[in-house]
Amino acid sequence: MLTFYTNPMSRGRIARWMLEETGQPYDTVVLGYGPPMKARDYLAVNPMGKVPAIVHGGSIVTEVAAICTYLALTFPEAGLMADDKAAFFRWLFFGAGPLEQAVVNTSFGWTPASPQEAGRTGYGTLETVAQALTGHLEKNDYIADGRFTAADVYVGSQVGWGLQFKTLPGNPVLEAYWSRLRDRPALLAANAKDNALIPEAKT
């Protein structure tokens, strides 16, 4: 049995989407921010004291990109792992590294002040990151295999949020990519479940 630790106002929404795509049953444990996430019982699951995390048998997986990959590999019948592993892992880790860091740093008001600083960030600038992802998606409808995979759950979530909250430079390529993902039944089901849990998470 899978146990899913989350807060509906967190990156746990990405993991929830992935869980719904697998079609596997799972239990949900909602944790509020602050003391609930720092409680001793949960720190035994994730010493970072943050969500999401999943427990599957004796295995604990944290970090959303890792959760998406683990579920894709553990439940191959869902067809969420790509045959083109090079593209799958390249862009999955691009999302977990350059894309997320560029978006977060920029949202906090920090941008490199010089080419030297840009070189030390590991991603350059937000514009460089957006251009790189756009270049891939100009030639590919999905991240890998020409079809939907777990990499699209992870990267697609970041694109969708970035476009919605204006934290990622929008363009027709990224908007078209998100339009191919946003109405997936598993995503709609995941959002409905998380939205219903927001009042519980606030108590």
Side-chain angles (χ1 to χ4, degrees), residues 1-6 12-30 53-56 71 75 186-187 189-194 197:
M1 188 65 182
L2 280 160
T3 302
F4 173 45
Y5 295 87
T6 191
R13 295 182 79 100
I14 307 175
R16 168 87 73 183
W17 178 10
M18 183 65 191
L19 284 162
E20 291 294 319
E21 291 284 355
T22 69
Q24 297 294 316
Y26 61 92
D27 290 330
T28 299
V29 178
V30 176
I54 63 169
V55 177
H56 181 224
L71 292 172
F75 303 108
L187 175 57
N191 284 339
K193 290 179 180 181
D194 277 328
L197 290 172

Side-chain angles (χ1 to χ4, degrees), residues 116-131:
Q116 290 76 21
E117 284 190 359
R120 292 172 62 188
T121 64
Y123 61 79
T125 66
L126 178 61
E127 290 71 25
T128 301
V129 168
Q131 288 168 8

Side-chain angles (χ1 to χ4, degrees), residues 13-15 17-22 63-76 78-85 87-89 91-93 95-96 142-158 177 181 184:
R13 295 182 79 100
I14 307 175
W17 178 10
M18 183 65 191
L19 284 162
E20 291 294 319
E21 291 284 355
T22 69
E63 313 314 316
V64 181
I67 291 171
C68 289
T69 305
Y70 176 84
L71 292 172
L73 290 170
T74 302
F75 303 108
L80 296 167
M81 175 54 69
D83 294 325
D84 183 354
K85 301 297 192 299
F88 181 93
F89 284 111
W91 294 102
L92 185 78
F93 283 95
Y142 296 94
I143 294 298
D145 283 7
R147 64 179 181 86
F148 181 86
T149 69
D152 296 294
V153 173
Y154 188 69
V155 177
S157 291
Q158 295 190 58
Y177 172 61
L181 307 180
R184 289 186 64 82

Side-chain angles (χ1 to χ4, degrees), residues 111-180:
T111 56
S114 67
Q116 290 76 21
E117 284 190 359
R120 292 172 62 188
T121 64
Y123 61 79
T125 66
L126 178 61
E127 290 71 25
T128 301
V129 168
Q131 288 168 8
L133 182 58
T134 297
H136 180 64
L137 292 171
E138 279 179 329
K139 303 171 185 175
N140 300 276
D141 286 344
Y142 296 94
I143 294 298
D145 283 7
R147 64 179 181 86
F148 181 86
T149 69
D152 296 294
V153 173
Y154 188 69
V155 177
S157 291
Q158 295 190 58
V159 170
W161 289 352
L163 294 175
Q164 179 181 355
F165 296 107
K166 311 300 183 186
T167 56
L168 184 66
N171 61 55
V173 173
L174 296 180
E175 290 163 4
Y177 172 61
W178 177 237
S179 73
R180 290 190 283 275

